[in-house]
Amino acid sequence: MLKKLRPLYIALSAIGTLGALSMTAPASAQSCKEIIAVAYRGSDQGKLTIRVNEVTLLRENSSNMANFVPPNLLLEGENTLTIELAAKDGGAPTAKAEVFKGCWGEMPKDPGENDNVLGTVALDAPGSDSTTFAMSGLPAYSYLAVEPSDDAGLLEAVAALVATARNKDKEGYLAYLQPMFHDFTLDDPQAPEMLSQMTDYLFGAPSEIVDPGALTVSPVLGGRAFQVQDAEGNAPLQFAMSVDNGTETLWQAGIWVKTAEGWKVLRH
């Protein structure tokens, strides 16, 4: 079951990250479906955290291998890319990250080698650095019309979603995902069916809903939404699934937004 789940989960994640952030390419470059991505290189001697619009994309990564991560949520107008670097075992770490426009299906290059760079941040010692970059022409994603709010009642909603998933209440579970349905459908009409299939796999497979323990809530997108994380930085809805060599966990419901119908999941 997990072998069936993994490619579906990866495909769904692509819709909500690289796919959901794609924009129509200019007529002169019709072969390029534009995406936004963040290329980065950290250090074995440090712990690198990357955020865009306060949303944590990478947390305390210790590696000097270049890689990339797609921003989950962008805003019309000004956006902020932030990196934070902590030393590991007394080392002297460095880090660099850049946000750039690329083409769907093309592997991003190392930071400093990509074209169409929108913003760059770099550190040669522990600390933090930020830059802003501009975006325009985004689809009508649900969160773009949301006003900043407080987080009253959010943790209660998270607990209710966990209980709903534990009870394998598919209809109730999917009701929490309506903002995702709306936003993903703007980029791929097949996304709702993929979400439904993924739910069938999750609820049909032998799995355990893990208690996430104490949770922290942080405002993102200028207070329009909130990121919920456990002590290790993982999202609060956690499906632990048995595999041949142990257990594999899928984390969901990391970003929440307050709607007229109450708190809903904006992104996993």
PDB file of all heavy atoms in Angstrom, residues 127-158:
ATOM      1  N   GLY A 127      24.006  33.275  11.965  1.00  0.00           N
ATOM      2  CA  GLY A 127      23.183  34.479  12.000  1.00  0.00           C
ATOM      3  C   GLY A 127      21.989  34.326  11.087  1.00  0.00           C
ATOM      4  O   GLY A 127      21.535  33.215  10.809  1.00  0.00           O
ATOM      5  N   SER A 128      21.479  35.440  10.600  1.00  0.00           N
ATOM      6  CA  SER A 128      20.344  35.406   9.680  1.00  0.00           C
ATOM      7  C   SER A 128      20.492  36.503   8.645  1.00  0.00           C
ATOM      8  O   SER A 128      21.192  37.496   8.857  1.00  0.00           O
ATOM      9  CB  SER A 128      19.019  35.574  10.441  1.00  0.00           C
ATOM     10  OG  SER A 128      18.930  36.843  11.046  1.00  0.00           O
ATOM     11  N   ASP A 129      19.834  36.307   7.514  1.00  0.00           N
ATOM     12  CA  ASP A 129      19.857  37.281   6.437  1.00  0.00           C
ATOM     13  C   ASP A 129      18.545  37.172   5.673  1.00  0.00           C
ATOM     14  O   ASP A 129      17.976  36.077   5.537  1.00  0.00           O
ATOM     15  CB  ASP A 129      21.043  37.030   5.508  1.00  0.00           C
ATOM     16  CG  ASP A 129      21.274  38.181   4.527  1.00  0.00           C
ATOM     17  OD1 ASP A 129      20.732  39.278   4.766  1.00  0.00           O
ATOM     18  OD2 ASP A 129      21.994  37.965   3.526  1.00  0.00           O
ATOM     19  N   SER A 130      18.047  38.301   5.193  1.00  0.00           N
ATOM     20  CA  SER A 130      16.777  38.323   4.463  1.00  0.00           C
ATOM     21  C   SER A 130      16.892  39.228   3.244  1.00  0.00           C
ATOM     22  O   SER A 130      17.718  40.146   3.200  1.00  0.00           O
ATOM     23  CB  SER A 130      15.638  38.846   5.355  1.00  0.00           C
ATOM     24  OG  SER A 130      15.391  37.998   6.441  1.00  0.00           O
ATOM     25  N   THR A 131      16.040  38.946   2.268  1.00  0.00           N
ATOM     26  CA  THR A 131      15.906  39.816   1.109  1.00  0.00           C
ATOM     27  C   THR A 131      14.458  39.776   0.658  1.00  0.00           C
ATOM     28  O   THR A 131      13.716  38.847   1.005  1.00  0.00           O
ATOM     29  CB  THR A 131      16.841  39.385  -0.033  1.00  0.00           C
ATOM     30  OG1 THR A 131      16.837  40.382  -1.062  1.00  0.00           O
ATOM     31  CG2 THR A 131      16.386  38.073  -0.651  1.00  0.00           C
ATOM     32  N   THR A 132      14.052  40.770  -0.087  1.00  0.00           N
ATOM     33  CA  THR A 132      12.697  40.784  -0.621  1.00  0.00           C
ATOM     34  C   THR A 132      12.739  40.600  -2.131  1.00  0.00           C
ATOM     35  O   THR A 132      13.735  40.909  -2.791  1.00  0.00           O
ATOM     36  CB  THR A 132      11.977  42.106  -0.291  1.00  0.00           C
ATOM     37  OG1 THR A 132      12.707  43.195  -0.848  1.00  0.00           O
ATOM     38  CG2 THR A 132      11.854  42.287   1.214  1.00  0.00           C
ATOM     39  N   PHE A 133      11.644  40.069  -2.658  1.00  0.00           N
ATOM     40  CA  PHE A 133      11.503  39.918  -4.099  1.00  0.00           C
ATOM     41  C   PHE A 133      10.037  40.103  -4.452  1.00  0.00           C
ATOM     42  O   PHE A 133       9.147  39.878  -3.628  1.00  0.00           O
ATOM     43  CB  PHE A 133      12.026  38.556  -4.573  1.00  0.00           C
ATOM     44  CG  PHE A 133      11.306  37.372  -3.984  1.00  0.00           C
ATOM     45  CD1 PHE A 133      10.271  36.747  -4.672  1.00  0.00           C
ATOM     46  CD2 PHE A 133      11.678  36.862  -2.736  1.00  0.00           C
ATOM     47  CE1 PHE A 133       9.614  35.642  -4.138  1.00  0.00           C
ATOM     48  CE2 PHE A 133      11.027  35.758  -2.192  1.00  0.00           C
ATOM     49  CZ  PHE A 133       9.996  35.159  -2.904  1.00  0.00           C
ATOM     50  N   ALA A 134       9.799  40.539  -5.677  1.00  0.00           N
ATOM     51  CA  ALA A 134       8.438  40.892  -6.097  1.00  0.00           C
ATOM     52  C   ALA A 134       7.818  39.793  -6.940  1.00  0.00           C
ATOM     53  O   ALA A 134       8.491  39.140  -7.737  1.00  0.00           O
ATOM     54  CB  ALA A 134       8.451  42.204  -6.880  1.00  0.00           C
ATOM     55  N   MET A 135       6.506  39.587  -6.759  1.00  0.00           N
ATOM     56  CA  MET A 135       5.737  38.656  -7.565  1.00  0.00           C
ATOM     57  C   MET A 135       4.472  39.348  -8.048  1.00  0.00           C
ATOM     58  O   MET A 135       3.931  40.239  -7.376  1.00  0.00           O
ATOM     59  CB  MET A 135       5.340  37.421  -6.734  1.00  0.00           C
ATOM     60  CG  MET A 135       6.502  36.551  -6.304  1.00  0.00           C
ATOM     61  SD  MET A 135       7.386  35.801  -7.691  1.00  0.00           S
ATOM     62  CE  MET A 135       6.055  34.922  -8.510  1.00  0.00           C
ATOM     63  N   SER A 136       3.995  38.930  -9.217  1.00  0.00           N
ATOM     64  CA  SER A 136       2.739  39.465  -9.740  1.00  0.00           C
ATOM     65  C   SER A 136       2.098  38.419 -10.643  1.00  0.00           C
ATOM     66  O   SER A 136       2.757  37.491 -11.106  1.00  0.00           O
ATOM     67  CB  SER A 136       2.973  40.762 -10.535  1.00  0.00           C
ATOM     68  OG  SER A 136       3.799  40.512 -11.669  1.00  0.00           O
ATOM     69  N   GLY A 137       0.811  38.569 -10.854  1.00  0.00           N
ATOM     70  CA  GLY A 137       0.100  37.670 -11.744  1.00  0.00           C
ATOM     71  C   GLY A 137      -0.185  36.301 -11.180  1.00  0.00           C
ATOM     72  O   GLY A 137      -0.386  35.346 -11.935  1.00  0.00           O
ATOM     73  N   LEU A 138      -0.210  36.162  -9.847  1.00  0.00           N
ATOM     74  CA  LEU A 138      -0.535  34.875  -9.252  1.00  0.00           C
ATOM     75  C   LEU A 138      -2.000  34.532  -9.483  1.00  0.00           C
ATOM     76  O   LEU A 138      -2.844  35.426  -9.607  1.00  0.00           O
ATOM     77  CB  LEU A 138      -0.265  34.901  -7.743  1.00  0.00           C
ATOM     78  CG  LEU A 138       1.189  35.095  -7.301  1.00  0.00           C
ATOM     79  CD1 LEU A 138       1.251  35.269  -5.797  1.00  0.00           C
ATOM     80  CD2 LEU A 138       2.038  33.909  -7.733  1.00  0.00           C
ATOM     81  N   PRO A 139      -2.336  33.247  -9.560  1.00  0.00           N
ATOM     82  CA  PRO A 139      -3.755  32.864  -9.624  1.00  0.00           C
ATOM     83  C   PRO A 139      -4.501  33.351  -8.379  1.00  0.00           C
ATOM     84  O   PRO A 139      -3.880  33.767  -7.389  1.00  0.00           O
ATOM     85  CB  PRO A 139      -3.706  31.332  -9.684  1.00  0.00           C
ATOM     86  CG  PRO A 139      -2.336  31.015 -10.206  1.00  0.00           C
ATOM     87  CD  PRO A 139      -1.437  32.087  -9.652  1.00  0.00           C
ATOM     88  N   ALA A 140      -5.809  33.273  -8.403  1.00  0.00           N
ATOM     89  CA  ALA A 140      -6.638  33.781  -7.297  1.00  0.00           C
ATOM     90  C   ALA A 140      -6.666  32.768  -6.155  1.00  0.00           C
ATOM     91  O   ALA A 140      -7.730  32.230  -5.793  1.00  0.00           O
ATOM     92  CB  ALA A 140      -8.041  34.075  -7.799  1.00  0.00           C
ATOM     93  N   TYR A 141      -5.505  32.521  -5.554  1.00  0.00           N
ATOM     94  CA  TYR A 141      -5.431  31.601  -4.433  1.00  0.00           C
ATOM     95  C   TYR A 141      -6.253  32.129  -3.268  1.00  0.00           C
ATOM     96  O   TYR A 141      -6.333  33.338  -3.022  1.00  0.00           O
ATOM     97  CB  TYR A 141      -3.983  31.398  -4.000  1.00  0.00           C
ATOM     98  CG  TYR A 141      -3.114  30.723  -5.033  1.00  0.00           C
ATOM     99  CD1 TYR A 141      -1.875  31.249  -5.380  1.00  0.00           C
ATOM    100  CD2 TYR A 141      -3.538  29.560  -5.674  1.00  0.00           C
ATOM    101  CE1 TYR A 141      -1.069  30.632  -6.327  1.00  0.00           C
ATOM    102  CE2 TYR A 141      -2.743  28.932  -6.622  1.00  0.00           C
ATOM    103  CZ  TYR A 141      -1.511  29.474  -6.938  1.00  0.00           C
ATOM    104  OH  TYR A 141      -0.718  28.871  -7.880  1.00  0.00           O
ATOM    105  N   SER A 142      -6.826  31.220  -2.504  1.00  0.00           N
ATOM    106  CA  SER A 142      -7.766  31.594  -1.445  1.00  0.00           C
ATOM    107  C   SER A 142      -7.149  32.527  -0.414  1.00  0.00           C
ATOM    108  O   SER A 142      -7.798  33.478   0.045  1.00  0.00           O
ATOM    109  CB  SER A 142      -8.295  30.335  -0.754  1.00  0.00           C
ATOM    110  OG  SER A 142      -7.219  29.575  -0.220  1.00  0.00           O
ATOM    111  N   TYR A 143      -5.902  32.305  -0.036  1.00  0.00           N
ATOM    112  CA  TYR A 143      -5.295  33.074   1.042  1.00  0.00           C
ATOM    113  C   TYR A 143      -4.998  34.519   0.655  1.00  0.00           C
ATOM    114  O   TYR A 143      -4.800  35.369   1.525  1.00  0.00           O
ATOM    115  CB  TYR A 143      -4.008  32.389   1.509  1.00  0.00           C
ATOM    116  CG  TYR A 143      -2.933  32.286   0.457  1.00  0.00           C
ATOM    117  CD1 TYR A 143      -2.002  33.301   0.263  1.00  0.00           C
ATOM    118  CD2 TYR A 143      -2.840  31.164  -0.364  1.00  0.00           C
ATOM    119  CE1 TYR A 143      -1.017  33.203  -0.705  1.00  0.00           C
ATOM    120  CE2 TYR A 143      -1.859  31.052  -1.327  1.00  0.00           C
ATOM    121  CZ  TYR A 143      -0.956  32.069  -1.493  1.00  0.00           C
ATOM    122  OH  TYR A 143       0.005  31.966  -2.467  1.00  0.00           O
ATOM    123  N   LEU A 144      -4.964  34.821  -0.652  1.00  0.00           N
ATOM    124  CA  LEU A 144      -4.630  36.188  -1.074  1.00  0.00           C
ATOM    125  C   LEU A 144      -5.699  37.189  -0.666  1.00  0.00           C
ATOM    126  O   LEU A 144      -5.416  38.380  -0.528  1.00  0.00           O
ATOM    127  CB  LEU A 144      -4.423  36.230  -2.591  1.00  0.00           C
ATOM    128  CG  LEU A 144      -3.216  35.444  -3.118  1.00  0.00           C
ATOM    129  CD1 LEU A 144      -3.158  35.520  -4.639  1.00  0.00           C
ATOM    130  CD2 LEU A 144      -1.918  35.954  -2.504  1.00  0.00           C
ATOM    131  N   ALA A 145      -6.933  36.713  -0.465  1.00  0.00           N
ATOM    132  CA  ALA A 145      -8.032  37.606  -0.088  1.00  0.00           C
ATOM    133  C   ALA A 145      -8.301  37.591   1.414  1.00  0.00           C
ATOM    134  O   ALA A 145      -9.239  38.240   1.879  1.00  0.00           O
ATOM    135  CB  ALA A 145      -9.302  37.213  -0.838  1.00  0.00           C
ATOM    136  N   VAL A 146      -7.482  36.883   2.178  1.00  0.00           N
ATOM    137  CA  VAL A 146      -7.696  36.746   3.621  1.00  0.00           C
ATOM    138  C   VAL A 146      -7.044  37.904   4.365  1.00  0.00           C
ATOM    139  O   VAL A 146      -5.934  38.329   4.028  1.00  0.00           O
ATOM    140  CB  VAL A 146      -7.122  35.400   4.117  1.00  0.00           C
ATOM    141  CG1 VAL A 146      -7.156  35.318   5.633  1.00  0.00           C
ATOM    142  CG2 VAL A 146      -7.901  34.247   3.501  1.00  0.00           C
ATOM    143  N   GLU A 147      -7.741  38.414   5.379  1.00  0.00           N
ATOM    144  CA  GLU A 147      -7.180  39.454   6.236  1.00  0.00           C
ATOM    145  C   GLU A 147      -6.430  38.802   7.406  1.00  0.00           C
ATOM    146  O   GLU A 147      -6.756  37.692   7.815  1.00  0.00           O
ATOM    147  CB  GLU A 147      -8.291  40.347   6.779  1.00  0.00           C
ATOM    148  CG  GLU A 147      -9.010  41.167   5.716  1.00  0.00           C
ATOM    149  CD  GLU A 147      -8.107  42.195   5.060  1.00  0.00           C
ATOM    150  OE1 GLU A 147      -7.181  42.690   5.750  1.00  0.00           O
ATOM    151  OE2 GLU A 147      -8.313  42.503   3.875  1.00  0.00           O
ATOM    152  N   PRO A 148      -5.419  39.478   7.950  1.00  0.00           N
ATOM    153  CA  PRO A 148      -4.722  38.937   9.123  1.00  0.00           C
ATOM    154  C   PRO A 148      -5.691  38.689  10.274  1.00  0.00           C
ATOM    155  O   PRO A 148      -6.696  39.385  10.432  1.00  0.00           O
ATOM    156  CB  PRO A 148      -3.714  40.045   9.472  1.00  0.00           C
ATOM    157  CG  PRO A 148      -3.486  40.750   8.175  1.00  0.00           C
ATOM    158  CD  PRO A 148      -4.807  40.729   7.463  1.00  0.00           C
ATOM    159  N   SER A 149      -5.400  37.665  11.073  1.00  0.00           N
ATOM    160  CA  SER A 149      -6.272  37.302  12.186  1.00  0.00           C
ATOM    161  C   SER A 149      -5.422  36.854  13.365  1.00  0.00           C
ATOM    162  O   SER A 149      -4.191  36.739  13.264  1.00  0.00           O
ATOM    163  CB  SER A 149      -7.227  36.180  11.774  1.00  0.00           C
ATOM    164  OG  SER A 149      -6.517  34.962  11.595  1.00  0.00           O
ATOM    165  N   ASP A 150      -6.084  36.569  14.505  1.00  0.00           N
ATOM    166  CA  ASP A 150      -5.369  35.929  15.611  1.00  0.00           C
ATOM    167  C   ASP A 150      -5.523  34.419  15.464  1.00  0.00           C
ATOM    168  O   ASP A 150      -6.149  33.942  14.512  1.00  0.00           O
ATOM    169  CB  ASP A 150      -5.897  36.419  16.961  1.00  0.00           C
ATOM    170  CG  ASP A 150      -7.394  36.150  17.133  1.00  0.00           C
ATOM    171  OD1 ASP A 150      -7.894  35.121  16.623  1.00  0.00           O
ATOM    172  OD2 ASP A 150      -8.070  36.964  17.790  1.00  0.00           O
ATOM    173  N   ASP A 151      -4.940  33.668  16.380  1.00  0.00           N
ATOM    174  CA  ASP A 151      -4.966  32.211  16.272  1.00  0.00           C
ATOM    175  C   ASP A 151      -5.943  31.562  17.248  1.00  0.00           C
ATOM    176  O   ASP A 151      -5.839  30.363  17.535  1.00  0.00           O
ATOM    177  CB  ASP A 151      -3.566  31.635  16.461  1.00  0.00           C
ATOM    178  CG  ASP A 151      -2.989  31.917  17.849  1.00  0.00           C
ATOM    179  OD1 ASP A 151      -3.686  32.553  18.674  1.00  0.00           O
ATOM    180  OD2 ASP A 151      -1.845  31.515  18.113  1.00  0.00           O
ATOM    181  N   ALA A 152      -6.898  32.328  17.759  1.00  0.00           N
ATOM    182  CA  ALA A 152      -7.855  31.788  18.721  1.00  0.00           C
ATOM    183  C   ALA A 152      -8.604  30.595  18.128  1.00  0.00           C
ATOM    184  O   ALA A 152      -9.153  30.679  17.035  1.00  0.00           O
ATOM    185  CB  ALA A 152      -8.854  32.874  19.133  1.00  0.00           C
ATOM    186  N   GLY A 153      -8.600  29.488  18.857  1.00  0.00           N
ATOM    187  CA  GLY A 153      -9.323  28.300  18.436  1.00  0.00           C
ATOM    188  C   GLY A 153      -8.573  27.398  17.485  1.00  0.00           C
ATOM    189  O   GLY A 153      -9.072  26.322  17.128  1.00  0.00           O
ATOM    190  N   LEU A 154      -7.368  27.785  17.078  1.00  0.00           N
ATOM    191  CA  LEU A 154      -6.645  27.000  16.083  1.00  0.00           C
ATOM    192  C   LEU A 154      -6.227  25.637  16.623  1.00  0.00           C
ATOM    193  O   LEU A 154      -6.417  24.610  15.963  1.00  0.00           O
ATOM    194  CB  LEU A 154      -5.420  27.776  15.583  1.00  0.00           C
ATOM    195  CG  LEU A 154      -4.478  27.022  14.644  1.00  0.00           C
ATOM    196  CD1 LEU A 154      -5.227  26.414  13.462  1.00  0.00           C
ATOM    197  CD2 LEU A 154      -3.359  27.948  14.148  1.00  0.00           C
ATOM    198  N   LEU A 155      -5.638  25.603  17.809  1.00  0.00           N
ATOM    199  CA  LEU A 155      -5.182  24.321  18.337  1.00  0.00           C
ATOM    200  C   LEU A 155      -6.346  23.365  18.586  1.00  0.00           C
ATOM    201  O   LEU A 155      -6.208  22.148  18.430  1.00  0.00           O
ATOM    202  CB  LEU A 155      -4.383  24.535  19.619  1.00  0.00           C
ATOM    203  CG  LEU A 155      -2.992  25.168  19.420  1.00  0.00           C
ATOM    204  CD1 LEU A 155      -2.287  25.347  20.754  1.00  0.00           C
ATOM    205  CD2 LEU A 155      -2.133  24.334  18.478  1.00  0.00           C
ATOM    206  N   GLU A 156      -7.510  23.918  18.932  1.00  0.00           N
ATOM    207  CA  GLU A 156      -8.691  23.074  19.092  1.00  0.00           C
ATOM    208  C   GLU A 156      -9.100  22.479  17.744  1.00  0.00           C
ATOM    209  O   GLU A 156      -9.506  21.308  17.660  1.00  0.00           O
ATOM    210  CB  GLU A 156      -9.840  23.883  19.691  1.00  0.00           C
ATOM    211  CG  GLU A 156      -9.664  24.277  21.147  1.00  0.00           C
ATOM    212  CD  GLU A 156      -8.773  25.497  21.345  1.00  0.00           C
ATOM    213  OE1 GLU A 156      -8.267  26.037  20.340  1.00  0.00           O
ATOM    214  OE2 GLU A 156      -8.586  25.906  22.501  1.00  0.00           O
ATOM    215  N   ALA A 157      -8.969  23.261  16.686  1.00  0.00           N
ATOM    216  CA  ALA A 157      -9.292  22.760  15.348  1.00  0.00           C
ATOM    217  C   ALA A 157      -8.308  21.680  14.922  1.00  0.00           C
ATOM    218  O   ALA A 157      -8.686  20.678  14.297  1.00  0.00           O
ATOM    219  CB  ALA A 157      -9.288  23.907  14.343  1.00  0.00           C
ATOM    220  N   VAL A 158      -7.027  21.860  15.253  1.00  0.00           N
ATOM    221  CA  VAL A 158      -6.026  20.846  14.939  1.00  0.00           C
ATOM    222  C   VAL A 158      -6.376  19.538  15.642  1.00  0.00           C
ATOM    223  O   VAL A 158      -6.341  18.454  15.028  1.00  0.00           O
ATOM    224  CB  VAL A 158      -4.616  21.314  15.344  1.00  0.00           C
ATOM    225  CG1 VAL A 158      -3.601  20.186  15.188  1.00  0.00           C
ATOM    226  CG2 VAL A 158      -4.195  22.523  14.520  1.00  0.00           C
TER     227      VAL A 158
END
